[in-house]
Amino acid sequence: MVNVSMVRIAVIDREYCKPSKCNIECIRFCPINRTRHKKAIELSSDSKHAIIYEDICIGCGICVKKCPYNAIFIVNIPDELEKNVVHRYGENMFKLYNLPIPRLGSIMGIIGRNGSGKTTSIKILSGLIKPNLGRYNDPPDWDEIIRTFRGTELQTYFKKLAEGKIKSAVKIQYVELVKRKLRGRVNDLLEKVDERGLLREVVDKLAIKKILDRKVQELSGGELQKFLIAAVILKDADAYFFDEPCSYLDVRERLRIAEAIREFIDVSKKYVFVVEHDLMILDYISDNITIIYGEPGVYGIVSKPYGVRAGINNYLEGYLPAENMRIRKEPIVFRIQVEDREILKKEFPILKWSKLIKTYKTSGFKLMVDEGEAYPGEVLGIIGPNGIGKTTFIKILAGILKPDEGEVLVSVEKISVKPQELSPKIFSEETVASNLRRASPDTLNPTTWIYNELVRKLGLNKMFDRYVEDLSGGELQKLAVAVSLAKPADLYLLDEPSAYLDVEERLSVAKVIRRIIEEKKKTALVVEHDLMLQNYISSSVIVFTGTSGVSGHASKPMSNKEGFNILLRELGVTVRRDPQTGRPRVNKSGSYLDRQQKAMGQYYMQD
Ligand code: ADP
Ligand code: ADP
Ligand code: SF4
């Protein structure tokens, strides 16, 4: 047997560690502290958190189990990886190994769990953080950093970065932050960054003319997203980074930004990196894929670059052949829903509506809806562009708006809404627990069904004491979904529950939504633009077509296959299925498959 020597990584999550509130069980029960003169764990000099000495700790894991706040993480990893440490934030903090390889001529897509180090990698490659090679107390200078990467593409890259020859443009992940930091009108702000004289073309391509006169504070999530993407493209940079560019955008807009990146950035001369969890779009944008794996919040290892198809498939399979590494026990399978609506139809509908028409007098927007119904336990997907009348339709169903023609024949009393845009402001209480308690006291009781199926499955039980102000985008999303599902209601509306979630979290949120709705025998309408995910969440879909801001048409509920076909036909895009994983892949416009599928009218190949 080969003896692999291991090193220890101990991480203390400072958001969770609260020595003033616990009985410092970690320090009291540590076997090293109890039996020897040395200490493996003690309090920091300011007593604000524990410190673990990785060279003394034996990794028994007792403190991990004893900590009442789940603040301690200890893992052992092979010693040989240590030569690849790129950065460590500080003592008992997150550690990153390797980096995505900057390569001209191809767009590098990056996938990985939240907390695995994607943003850290971007910050290093964009020059915002100087990598310390793990030596946070004694950081190396550029010469040493460059020498460390000798013989690799990173050597050349860091050399240029150190000499100030790489100018970076970064589309940050959490677009809502911009509202707090930027003031002014979209047009003025874009003109200021238009270093390439492409303002008009980019505005046309991203279809943002309508928002040019608006102030940043007035923009919706999707508009903010497009504004920031435009600003990044307009900069004359050497390296472009797009951290989750799809959140809040509909499918047409997602495809548009993918095209804009390719059209306006000369990939042969510029470095381009994209982090994205909508795998159909990431597949469409990227040429290569880098996977970041490890233990979220503790350490991340950046994989070698793979071709786009193999990279995404390997990620879903959970095995990386080039590193001979299993990154997950189970593959991720976005099973196609085959549930028969006929079975649900045996029950009385929870909602039923006739043909409906509604026109807003002030804006002139007209919505026409085909008749339909929804059954107890049903998750109905809603697909279509933004600004097409989805919210108007839901307000009519909820009795908030009166249609000009038609009526809601079977209506609901209470609806519970998960809004699209996320910010701490959408919550009425300060902490995770108090928001959950307000939605339903059962959510805090470990003996209840809702605690086990909702709160625990989303991992919220580990963050009861956290303040919403301190939560990451993904954590806010999981809390928002849980709060809305825990409330008593007949109809649940979840608007884009995937934003800021990684692929694994998307899958668990989808499972939770289905499970809760089936068990409660209520109905959910889910607006979701990640088609791979929408196919998983919903058993039928309503398709909205028309012209955003002018008129919209809502179809009757139909099978996912039929609905996706209509949506894609509207977009003029065909999608095939990957034979290995079954995931949807966008065909290149004009390719053999594209032409063949269009000729057959099969825009969405499901079989
Ligand atoms: P991702 O983008 O993959 O979600 P990040 O690179 O943002 O991951 O973060 C990786 C880990 O590093 C997280 O656990 C995060 O808490 C930690 N981290 C990020 N920034 C800092 C910082 N400035 N100081 C300490 N830890 C940090
Ligand atoms: P979606 O939910 O699909 O984004 P909405 O139903 O919110 O779309 O809006 C559809 C269109 O109707 C938009 O162009 C919007 O500006 C317009 N609209 C929405 N509410 C009103 C209102 N109260 N008065 C006038 N126009 C409105
Ligand atoms: Fe002490 Fe064991 Fe915790 Fe290490 S893992 S600090 S040895 S209790």
Side-chain angles (χ1 to χ4, degrees):
M1 214 171 106
V2 187
N3 225 345
V4 182
S5 59
M6 306 292 264
V7 290
R8 210 161 336 282
I9 305 180
V11 167
I12 313 267
D13 192 321
R14 298 184 189 189
E15 301 249 12
Y16 286 79
C17 182
K18 297 184 198 80
S20 59
K21 288 199 184 165
C22 72
N23 297 314
I24 50 171
E25 290 86 345
C26 56
I27 293 169
R28 290 198 290 124
F29 287 95
C30 170
I32 303 288
N33 284 19
R34 286 165 80 120
T35 58
R36 302 201 192 156
H37 299 299
K38 289 188 209 166
K39 283 199 159 76
I41 179 164
E42 61 182 350
L43 281 187
S44 59
S45 53
D46 58 7
S47 297
K48 286 206 170 135
H49 56 85
I51 294 177
I52 294 178
Y53 302 108
E54 288 169 344
D55 48 343
I56 301 172
C57 163
I58 53 166
C60 67
I62 290 176
C63 56
V64 177
K65 291 203 192 82
K66 289 283 176 194
C67 174
Y69 295 110
N70 302 302
I72 304 176
F73 303 86
I74 298 197
V75 291
N76 295 311
I77 65 161
D79 192 15
E80 62 180 63
L81 259 176
E82 282 313 286
K83 63 180 187 306
N84 300 337
V85 180
V86 169
H87 192 69
R88 191 163 200 189
Y89 281 108
E91 188 169 34
N92 297 142
M93 287 190 188
F94 180 80
K95 206 168 176 180
L96 182 70
Y97 298 88
N98 304 335
L99 275 174
I101 307 288
R103 206 168 262 178
L104 294 176
S106 83
I107 295 183
M108 181 62 79
I110 302 174
I111 341 175
R113 304 229 34 192
N114 278 336
S116 66
K118 299 181 297 298
T119 305
T120 306
S121 302
I122 286 186
K123 284 185 176 163
I124 294 171
L125 292 169
S126 63
L128 202 65
I129 294 181
K130 187 170 166 189
N132 62 21
L133 310 177
R135 288 174 10 220
Y136 44 85
N137 282 329
D138 158 36
D141 58 17
W142 273 119
D143 281 347
E144 189 182 343
I145 297 169
I146 293 163
R147 251 184 290 127
T148 306
F149 292 101
R150 70 181 161 262
T152 71
E153 280 127 315
L154 280 162
Q155 181 185 21
T156 328
Y157 187 88
F158 278 130
K159 206 161 178 291
K160 288 199 241 172
L161 196 65
E163 290 165 359
K165 289 186 183 152
I166 291 192
K167 191 180 154 198
S168 308
V170 183
K171 200 296 286 175
I172 56 163
Q173 177 194 15
Y174 197 38
V175 293
E176 293 81 351
L177 283 181
V178 173
K179 280 196 183 171
R180 286 192 225 158
K181 295 196 173 157
L182 262 186
R183 301 253 169 263
R185 280 183 202 284
V186 171
N187 196 37
D188 303 338
L189 292 164
L190 286 181
E191 268 178 5
K192 254 190 227 158
V193 294
D194 183 19
E195 295 162 351
R196 307 169 60 205
L198 282 173
L199 182 60
R200 192 163 302 201
E201 288 89 335
V202 171
V203 164
D204 277 352
K205 182 77 200 179
L206 296 181
I208 50 173
K209 208 172 185 161
K210 271 191 282 187
I211 63 165
L212 288 180
D213 282 335
R214 305 249 292 276
K215 290 187 190 142
V216 172
Q217 272 62 32
E218 296 165 358
L219 300 181
S220 70
E223 289 162 348
L224 267 179
Q225 185 74 274
K226 286 190 284 182
F227 157 63
L228 291 183
I229 291 170
V232 167
I233 292 178
L234 289 173
K235 283 192 190 147
D236 188 14
D238 305 289
Y240 293 85
F241 301 86
F242 297 91
D243 199 349
E244 298 190 29
C246 289
S247 317
Y248 302 147
L249 299 184
D250 64 39
V251 182
R252 185 194 299 271
E253 292 166 327
R254 288 176 191 212
L255 294 166
R256 252 192 218 135
I257 57 132
E259 285 158 13
I261 291 173
R262 287 214 169 268
E263 195 174 319
F264 295 113
I265 302 176
D266 182 354
V267 178
S268 67
K269 298 198 180 83
K270 312 283 181 179
Y271 300 102
V272 184
F273 297 87
V274 179
V275 173
E276 181 50 55
H277 303 291
D278 179 334
L279 296 185
M280 188 179 93
I281 302 295
L282 186 71
D283 179 285
Y284 187 57
I285 298 183
S286 319
D287 301 299
N288 289 105
I289 293 288
T290 297
I291 294 144
I292 309 192
Y293 57 99
E295 188 69 40
V298 181
Y299 73 99
I301 305 175
V302 180
S303 80
K304 298 191 166 77
Y306 287 89
V308 65
R309 173 169 179 260
I312 294 180
N313 285 359
N314 294 340
Y315 184 71
L316 292 175
E317 293 289 339
Y319 177 71
L320 307 183
E323 8 304 88
N324 187 18
M325 175 62 69
R326 178 145 289 286
I327 60 168
R328 202 183 315 103
K329 281 198 199 110
E330 303 282 333
I332 294 177
V333 183
F334 281 85
R335 177 173 48 93
I336 305 297
Q337 297 305 320
V338 284
E339 203 169 317
D340 195 351
R341 204 161 187 245
E342 296 306 314
I343 298 171
L344 293 170
K345 274 188 177 173
K346 289 190 180 132
E347 309 245 0
F348 282 112
I350 216 166
L351 262 173
K352 191 173 165 75
W353 58 95
S354 69
K355 268 186 184 290
L356 305 167
I357 296 183
K358 170 80 197 170
T359 307
Y360 286 118
K361 294 211 170 59
T362 43
S363 63
F365 178 83
K366 182 176 182 183
L367 174 69
M368 280 171 295
V369 182
D370 288 346
E371 72 275 9
E373 67 282 295
Y375 293 93
E378 184 168 39
V379 179
L380 263 180
I382 296 201
I383 49 178
N386 288 327
I388 197 83
K390 300 187 294 296
T391 311
T392 307
F393 171 59
I394 283 145
K395 282 186 181 162
I396 295 174
L397 291 185
I400 300 166
L401 267 183
K402 276 245 155 303
D404 307 329
E405 284 177 36
E407 59 185 321
V408 180
L409 304 164
V410 179
S411 59
V412 290
E413 288 233 321
K414 272 196 195 143
I415 73 164
S416 171
V417 178
K418 201 292 291 173
Q420 185 192 42
E421 269 182 71
L422 278 185
S423 85
K425 281 194 208 127
I426 65 170
F427 297 99
S428 48
E429 306 281 331
E430 281 187 338
T431 67
V432 170
S434 52
N435 279 293
L436 286 168
R437 185 182 302 112
R438 198 184 169 101
S440 159
D442 282 354
T443 51
L444 303 187
N445 178 353
T447 63
T448 61
W449 182 85
I450 197 98
Y451 176 93
N452 285 297
E453 289 302 325
L454 179 68
V455 176
R456 209 171 50 82
K457 290 258 160 74
L458 296 181
L460 294 167
N461 51 327
K462 295 191 179 155
M463 44 170 127
F464 278 160
D465 292 336
R466 300 266 309 275
Y467 287 90
V468 291
E469 278 292 337
D470 301 330
L471 299 183
S472 69
E475 290 165 342
L476 280 177
Q477 184 70 276
K478 283 188 273 186
L479 179 62
V481 168
V483 164
S484 67
L485 286 177
K487 282 184 190 161
D490 307 300
L491 175 64
Y492 292 84
L493 167 68
L494 300 152
D495 197 347
E496 208 182 329
S498 73
Y500 301 127
L501 297 182
D502 63 34
V503 177
E504 280 90 338
E505 290 169 330
R506 284 174 191 218
L507 202 60
S508 44
V509 162
K511 282 184 185 160
V512 160
I513 295 172
R514 290 188 62 90
R515 181 101 176 85
I516 303 278
I517 294 301
E518 276 164 22
E519 184 66 27
K520 284 194 174 188
K521 289 205 158 299
K522 303 295 182 188
T523 295
L525 297 181
V526 179
V527 180
E528 179 52 62
H529 306 288
D530 176 338
L531 291 189
M532 190 161 139
L533 182 69
Q534 180 62 287
N535 203 17
Y536 185 83
I537 301 181
S538 57
S539 38
S540 341
V541 290
I542 296 178
V543 196
F544 280 72
T545 48
T547 310
S548 297
V550 181
S551 65
H553 174 263
S555 75
K556 64 179 196 320
M558 54 178 70
S559 73
N560 290 359
K561 183 176 175 178
E562 215 181 329
F564 285 18
N565 212 37
I566 294 177
L567 176 78
L568 294 170
R569 184 195 297 269
E570 277 275 302
L571 299 173
V573 167
T574 57
V575 167
R576 68 188 181 284
R577 297 231 296 144
D578 179 68
Q580 190 183 337
T581 58
R583 68 186 167 89
R585 303 193 72 196
V586 178
N587 291 321
K588 271 215 170 68
S589 177
S591 65
Y592 174 70
L593 273 179
D594 183 52
R595 284 179 286 131
Q596 195 188 33
Q597 283 184 227
K598 278 180 179 160
M600 292 191 299
Q602 290 201 340
Y603 285 73
Y604 185 71
M605 289 281 272
Q606 197 173 30
D607 309 310

